[in-house]
Amino acid sequence: MPDAFHTLEVTVISAEDLTANDRPVKNKAFASLRTQDRAAGSESLRSFPKSYSTRIDEHGGKSPSWNEKLTVKLPTSSPGVVVDVLRKGSSGDKIVGTATIPKSDFTGEYSVPVPNHLHFLSYRLRDPRGVKNGIINVAVRVTSLYSSPSGLRISRAAWSMINCITLNSTSRVVLASCRNAFTMIANLSLYAVAMVIFSAITAMNVADIENQ
């Protein structure tokens, strides 16, 4: 079954201190986004549409600036988004550095995204060798949640309720308390059922002994 997904607005703001072959990048840097694959625990390798890449900064040098908004459909099962900073050259595009935006950085501790809340984030880039190579600055906003199989979309009212609950610390405590209460009730219910079964078995054993 197709996965439900969040619609993200990722603003790729800028990068800092980029190098290529141990020299400062001179020009033609751009950024591209990928989603991570849950099963493999790493970024997927499929090609992405052009809308997932920024324009090329022709003159930004080692600290390019894009300030470009990209709309990304992130499966709810995906652990995050991968940002690649690349340099366009005569022999093809070469990766300068890569960073991962964990989904928890914009969904919070309860994995429920706060609708339209803008998260400003910065991450260390690493080149293909794993060596530190600059910083990427982004902003992430969850704009909506869809369910692919049925086309279901959470209503504006539901988003408002989620927003109220997740931003209110008292509400989060209440949610946790309710969860604990339901768990306790479930455990007590199982205990009561076990007691009824035990009593019934005991009564049958007593009846058998008396009949003997």
Side-chain angles (χ1 to χ4, degrees):
M1 179 180 292
D3 207 353
F5 59 86
H6 301 303
T7 300
L8 310 179
E9 178 188 272
V10 181
T11 303
V12 185
I13 301 172
S14 62
E16 305 170 27
D17 299 325
L18 303 180
T19 62
N21 299 322
D22 298 323
R23 296 180 180 180
V25 169
K26 293 182 179 181
N27 53 25
K28 297 186 177 181
F30 68 99
S32 181
L33 305 180
R34 299 179 278 160
T35 60
Q36 282 189 302
D37 178 64
R38 179 181 60 177
S42 60
E43 59 269 21
S44 59
L45 299 179
R46 68 178 185 275
S47 298
F48 284 84
K50 291 182 179 179
S51 59
Y52 279 52
S53 296
T54 68
R55 60 180 172 79
I56 296 173
D57 187 336
E58 296 285 355
H59 309 291
K62 67 176 184 178
S63 297
S65 177
W66 303 283
N67 198 31
E68 190 166 340
K69 294 180 181 179
L70 304 176
T71 299
V72 179
K73 293 179 180 179
L74 178 69
T76 55
S77 62
S78 174
V81 177
V82 175
V83 184
D84 291 319
V85 175
L86 305 96
R87 181 179 177 274
K88 182 168 288 294
S90 57
S91 59
D93 301 338
K94 295 184 178 181
I95 294 180
V96 176
T98 300
T100 300
I101 308 173
K103 185 168 67 175
S104 58
D105 281 2
F106 52 86
T107 61
E109 58 182 317
Y110 293 97
S111 295
V112 178
V114 178
N116 295 315
H117 181 75
L118 192 60
H119 303 263
F120 289 93
L121 307 164
S122 296
Y123 298 94
R124 171 70 69 181
L125 292 163
R126 291 185 180 273
D127 66 17
R129 300 169 298 173
V131 178
K132 296 178 181 179
N133 189 13
I135 294 172
I136 184 73
N137 304 303
V138 299
V140 182
R141 185 200 313 266
V142 180
T143 58
S144 62
L145 175 65
Y146 292 81
S147 176
S148 298
S150 62
L152 177 65
R153 180 178 180 178
I154 290 183
S155 67
R156 185 182 298 273
W159 272 123
S160 298
M161 183 178 293
I162 292 172
N163 190 28
C164 177
I165 290 174
T166 53
L167 288 179
N168 190 308
S169 58
T170 302
S171 297
R172 291 198 296 267
V173 172
V174 170
L175 283 174
S177 298
C178 289
R179 181 186 62 188
N180 294 336
F182 281 123
T183 301
M184 182 177 67
I185 291 172
N187 291 336
L188 289 175
S189 298
L190 291 174
Y191 178 76
V193 171
M195 288 298 297
V196 170
I197 295 174
F198 177 77
S199 299
I201 294 175
T202 301
M204 292 175 60
N205 291 337
V206 171
D208 290 342
I209 293 174
E210 291 179 349
N211 290 334
Q212 293 176 0

